[in-house]
Amino acid sequence: MTRVITETTIPSAAIVAWMSEINVAVQRHRDHLTQLDAAIGDGDHGTNMARGFAAVQTTLTGQGDDLLPGQLLILCGKTLVATVGGASGPLWGTAFRHAGRAVGAATELDGPLLVDALDAALAGITGLGRASVGDATIVDALDPAARALRSAVQAGAPLSQAAGAAAGAAEDGCKATIPLQARKGRASYLGERSIGHQDPGATSTALILRALETALSR
Ligand code: ADP
Ligand code: MG
């Protein structure tokens, strides 16, 4: 039976839909992400994300049906670690695994659990990568997204709207990396020459958050 995705909770089907929307977005933006990474890194970010989320899609298509939201998030994280070389694989892999553990055995995520999940994802990424806001990384998009999600949920916004606020904050954070000097990852090797470039990882982070809004708006 098709489960209905309501405005107030996120069942497993909505997590699968989110992963599917991420896959659509990273395939669509693959060349752009790669171009951004070619300017200040090694030009593989688009292919890394595209490979990783294609593998997630395949894995969930085969195994996703009976898993809880937290189990799905953990499976997604493991798949990313297994399929993506480069910094983004372990970072997003850790993020989704931490998010999955944070929601435990819940059958559906409500607003506060979604906030916990995103906070845990951020903590996973900062714990592994040691980046702070302003270092021109994933964190520059994910940290403001987590804050915006929390504010929107606390204000009682429907989840799709809260996800939209998070995506907007991630997009702003991503644009805000342009004047920054990269302090972590490959781009940091360029020193001041990294200034003037939008961070590829922050860019894909905004796609991941916007995909959540899309999945919850269906
Ligand atoms: P690699 O840099 O190994 O080629 P990718 O190109 O897939 O891996 O990913 C690059 C992105 O990873 C960067 O644009 C940046 O956003 C992110 N990144 C790199 N190092 C860190 C870190 N320590 N913390 C958070 N994000 C990071
Ligand atoms: Mg790269």
Side-chain angles (χ1 to χ4, degrees), residues 201-218:
T203 307
S204 56
T205 302
L207 295 177
I208 288 170
L209 271 306
R210 189 57 75 186
L212 177 62
E213 189 214 7
T214 306
L216 297 182
S217 302
R218 286 276 148 85

Side-chain angles (χ1 to χ4, degrees), residues 37 41-45 48 186:
D37 195 34
D42 57 354
D44 64 354
H45 189 58
N48 282 343
R186 259 176 222 285

